[in-house]
Amino acid sequence: MNPPVPAVLAELAGLMIRNAMPGVADGERASDLGLSAALLAMAAEVWDRQAQILVEENRAIRALLGEAGDDPDLRLSALKRDNDRLRAALVESHAAAEAAGDTAREAAIWAELIAATERRRLASAPV
């Protein structure tokens, strides 16, 4: 999720503290509570499936790069760190394929990028 779930939760904590104070207008409080509820629902959905998304992406990118290996550490921070490394390598691979005129490799990389976008689509997001 962008922004990351921890940043969203921190922002929501600030909204809750502010709305607990006296003098907040009813309309503003209602708006903040509605926004908070929607963000919490999205954060819950993303948090629930984040490890699966990262494992699937890491596996797919490793296959494109011809890299052996698996994700031995399933903590989100470790999965994200490896995902960032793999994505950087994929960008380099894409640039090399483009420079070499390897359209089949370019197509395979684009197909994975599209699949990655679909993996991250929220259930409540319009198609």
Side-chain angles (χ1 to χ4, degrees):
M1 176 177 190
N2 276 324
V5 171
V8 171
L9 295 177
E11 179 67 25
L12 290 171
L15 281 172
M16 292 174 124
I17 290 168
R18 192 174 79 71
N19 278 289
M21 299 172 67
V24 176
D26 289 345
E28 189 174 338
R29 188 183 318 257
S31 174
D32 285 351
L33 288 173
L35 173 63
S36 296
L39 287 172
L40 284 169
M42 284 187 260
E45 180 183 338
V46 169
W47 194 259
D48 183 49
R49 58 196 187 103
Q50 190 63 40
Q52 178 182 350
I53 289 168
L54 289 169
V55 167
E56 287 177 11
E57 284 184 9
N58 291 353
R59 187 176 296 141
I61 296 171
R62 279 191 191 96
L64 283 170
L65 297 173
E67 188 178 299
D70 209 356
D71 292 302
D73 187 344
L74 296 178
R75 289 176 299 158
L76 290 178
S77 59
L79 291 169
K80 178 73 169 100
R81 186 173 42 253
D82 210 27
N83 188 266
D84 290 344
R85 179 189 65 78
L86 289 165
R87 283 179 166 273
L90 189 64
V91 168
E92 290 177 20
S93 179
H94 184 256
E98 191 173 59
D102 187 346
T103 56
R105 179 137 184 84
E106 279 189 87
I109 291 170
W110 277 113
E112 171 48 31
L113 293 173
I114 292 167
T117 300
E118 289 302 314
R119 271 184 217 108
R120 293 169 185 261
R121 184 183 301 275
L122 295 173
S124 59
V127 179

